[in-house]
Amino acid sequence: MLNTSRPCQPQSGGFSFEDSRRNAVLEGNLSELGYSSPKARKTGTTIAGIVFKDGVILGADTRATDDMVVADKNCMKIHYIAPNIYCCGAGVAADAEVTTQMMSSNVELHSLSTGRPPLVVTVTRQLKQMLFRYQGHIGSSLIVGGVDVTGAHLYSAYPHGSYDKLPFLTMGSGAGPAISIFEDRFRPNMELEDAKQLVRDAIVAGIFCDLGSGSNVDLCIITQAGVQYLRAYDQPAQKGKKEGQYKYKPGTTAVLTKTVTPLPLDIVDESVQLMDTQ
Amino acid sequence: ICDFLCIKNTRGLRSQLKDSVPVTGLGTQIGAYGVQDTLRSGFSSVKNELLPSHALELSEKNFQLNQDKMNFSTLRNIQGLHAPLKLQMEYRAARQIQRLPFLQSSHLALDTLKGNDESISFEDILNDPAQSEMMGEPHIMVEYKLGLM
């Protein structure tokens, strides 16, 4: 929309705040009537990351929620940033998706310009600068992990722009249960299979203890050799098989009376349309 | 140019902003007699002018300005007055390479100087002016640009 307060100057791109006053008024009107305005779809997530002997393992569940309804049973929360860097996103689903796509583009441009493979710390710095610029209105919490020339690194970034560098991290609504598993069983320099089992257990804890997380466990293993993306590594929440027959046998309910009323129908109009059956 | 690009987007230097004039963001256009120009920019209210409708409105409007001020000020402290002066002269020259205001110009030279050709942000994705459904009024925009209005 052409910005009406500045009709003489050429438009610029980016966010437009023209409708925010109108939206505030509309929300006020809705809340007077007792309704609430539609909320953005959140991922209501458990995401986790761990540094092990050869690299980094990232894990995530696969449920996306719309307030109290499951919107997507099998969404992908581990996003590609660079061949050696992946990122898990929690919070508002659209924000996490667009943020990671922008980071991926920026990191590609940057590495083309420097001529070197990207560093995990580059991604984190650009991410936190952008999140701080928008003061938390971009509601995405991200865990960035990867292996670069300096080694294996794991960073987390919060929506307001703070970041942490730790050997194990969890974020999202199921972060509490997941971090408890990590705090109990994490050791530095674990082997691959132990580390995979640990991340799987942490995500499963989030799936069972948090309403916002569910469905499958996705894992992404990043090492110097390459990346292994294990989609649906584990499916802990499958429906159980029913043990017996729960249907009623025909004739269980006795029929007491039966009345038949034929409906009189008159043919009003008859037309024939030829179909092309070739 | 290299060290200038390294300090792009540093926000921690509030002390550098102390002698810069605050930009009064939301005012409408002032017409004749110092009163708001209703014909060109529509009705207004004092509330609309004083209070931003969104927390980020003012900060986003002035973001590029503030970044440039901070960067130039840091550059002046590090390398001396000549560095920001030369850069601003180059910016001024590059800014003049454009089409008439109601047409889309690529600003290629200016973007390359500022380093915007190597990054993608929301300015490139959202509200791309090249894709907007409405065009500005050519006569008014050219008059405004030439200072005749």
Side-chain angles (χ1 to χ4, degrees):
Chain A
M1 273 304 293
L2 192 66
N3 196 344
T4 45
S5 67
R6 287 265 178 270
C8 308
Q9 288 169 357
Q11 303 153 267
S12 52
F15 289 109
S16 157
F17 297 102
E18 284 187 345
D19 287 336
S20 34
R21 221 171 243 121
R22 177 206 73 166
N23 291 347
V25 170
L26 282 177
E27 266 194 59
N29 287 349
L30 273 180
S31 63
E32 264 172 47
L33 295 172
Y35 301 109
S36 66
S37 57
K39 298 249 178 315
R41 177 189 299 190
K42 302 194 85 157
T43 47
T45 311
T46 310
I47 48 177
I50 196 176
V51 175
F52 73 109
K53 194 177 79 167
D54 304 321
V56 158
I57 300 188
L58 299 172
D61 72 308
T62 56
R63 174 183 285 184
T65 54
D66 233 338
D67 265 347
M68 284 291 123
V69 176
V70 173
D72 190 350
K73 288 187 289 193
N74 206 357
C75 69
M76 278 173 58
K77 299 187 188 176
I78 307 185
H79 309 279
Y80 166 90
I81 302 253
N84 54 335
I85 304 175
Y86 276 70
C87 175
C88 308
V92 180
D95 288 349
E97 184 75 35
V98 167
T99 304
T100 47
Q101 282 175 349
M102 268 175 41
M103 284 303 120
S104 171
S105 309
N106 275 329
V107 131
E108 177 72 17
L109 285 171
H110 185 81
S111 78
L112 282 171
S113 156
T114 55
R116 297 179 178 131
L119 302 175
V120 187
V121 71
T122 312
V123 181
T124 312
R125 179 165 285 220
Q126 288 182 335
L127 194 56
K128 76 167 159 67
Q129 285 175 351
M130 190 195 82
L131 290 173
F132 183 68
R133 172 178 169 180
Y134 293 103
Q135 291 292 301
H137 286 269
I138 295 192
S140 58
S141 334
L142 303 151
I143 295 186
V144 186
V147 176
D148 52 35
V149 289
T150 53
H153 301 283
L154 190 65
Y155 291 89
S156 71
Y158 286 83
H160 284 267
S162 62
Y163 77 106
D164 281 319
K165 181 183 192 328
L166 289 169
F168 59 91
L169 288 163
T170 63
M171 297 200 76
S173 58
I179 199 75
S180 65
I181 302 285
F182 276 162
E183 295 272 6
D184 189 26
R185 288 162 41 187
F186 174 81
R187 286 166 288 111
N189 287 332
M190 291 170 77
E191 294 296 324
L192 174 66
E193 287 309 316
D194 292 337
K196 269 162 74 170
Q197 188 63 28
L198 182 60
V199 178
R200 181 240 164 231
D201 288 344
I203 302 293
V204 162
I207 287 174
F208 285 132
C209 301
D210 174 45
L211 285 180
S213 318
S215 301
N216 316 331
V217 177
D218 285 348
L219 283 190
C220 184
I221 303 159
I222 310 173
T223 54
Q224 199 66 44
V227 171
Q228 226 188 340
Y229 195 129
L230 302 167
R231 185 116 167 89
Y233 173 72
D234 191 18
Q235 294 173 345
Q238 272 170 340
K239 259 182 155 172
K241 216 161 105 57
K242 289 200 172 103
E243 295 296 319
Q245 268 284 17
Y246 297 105
K247 283 198 157 92
Y248 290 109
K249 288 201 286 290
T252 312
T253 317
V255 177
L256 297 177
T257 53
K258 184 166 147 184
T259 50
V260 176
T261 317
L263 288 172
L265 293 172
D266 299 324
I267 297 181
V268 175
D269 181 32
E270 195 174 314
S271 67
V272 177
Q273 276 177 339
L274 287 172
M275 255 174 39
D276 184 11
T277 50
Q278 289 307 313
Chain B
I1 295 294
C2 284
D3 25 10
F4 176 70
L5 289 178
C6 294
I7 54 178
K8 183 176 151 92
N9 202 3
T10 49
R11 246 186 96 124
L13 303 164
R14 280 206 87 88
S15 57
Q16 311 292 346
L17 276 182
K18 58 181 180 304
D19 35 318
S20 59
V21 177
V23 181
T24 52
L26 300 158
T28 52
Q29 296 210 276
I30 303 296
Y33 309 112
V35 181
Q36 189 255 343
D37 198 347
T38 317
L39 183 68
R40 291 207 177 88
S41 41
F43 296 114
S44 80
S45 71
V46 176
K47 190 169 80 159
N48 278 357
E49 285 180 43
L50 283 180
L51 302 173
S53 53
H54 193 274
L56 288 179
E57 188 170 357
L58 270 180
S59 104
E60 277 300 297
K61 202 155 158 191
N62 302 329
F63 184 75
Q64 206 48 53
L65 271 173
N66 288 338
Q67 285 299 116
D68 288 343
K69 275 183 207 158
M70 266 197 299
N71 288 340
F72 282 138
S73 164
T74 320
L75 203 57
R76 175 186 181 163
N77 291 339
I78 298 175
Q79 293 187 6
L81 186 57
H82 75 98
L85 279 182
K86 280 191 183 147
L87 272 175
Q88 277 177 322
M89 185 184 76
E90 288 180 22
Y91 281 10
R92 218 167 257 255
R95 206 176 298 143
Q96 292 177 4
I97 309 170
Q98 55 169 312
R99 297 205 171 103
L100 289 174
F102 54 92
L103 296 170
Q104 281 309 308
S105 345
S106 67
H107 299 289
L108 189 59
L110 193 59
D111 275 350
T112 312
L113 270 179
K114 287 191 164 168
N116 288 341
D117 62 335
E118 286 176 351
S119 71
I120 292 187
S121 70
F122 287 113
E123 278 81 27
D124 304 307
I125 304 175
L126 299 174
N127 255 346
D128 189 8
Q131 315 281 342
S132 83
E133 304 101 6
M134 294 174 57
M135 193 178 85
E137 171 62 45
H139 298 288
I140 296 185
M141 292 179 90
V142 174
E143 278 178 26
Y144 183 80
K145 180 167 176 231
L146 293 174
L148 298 173
M149 235 176 52

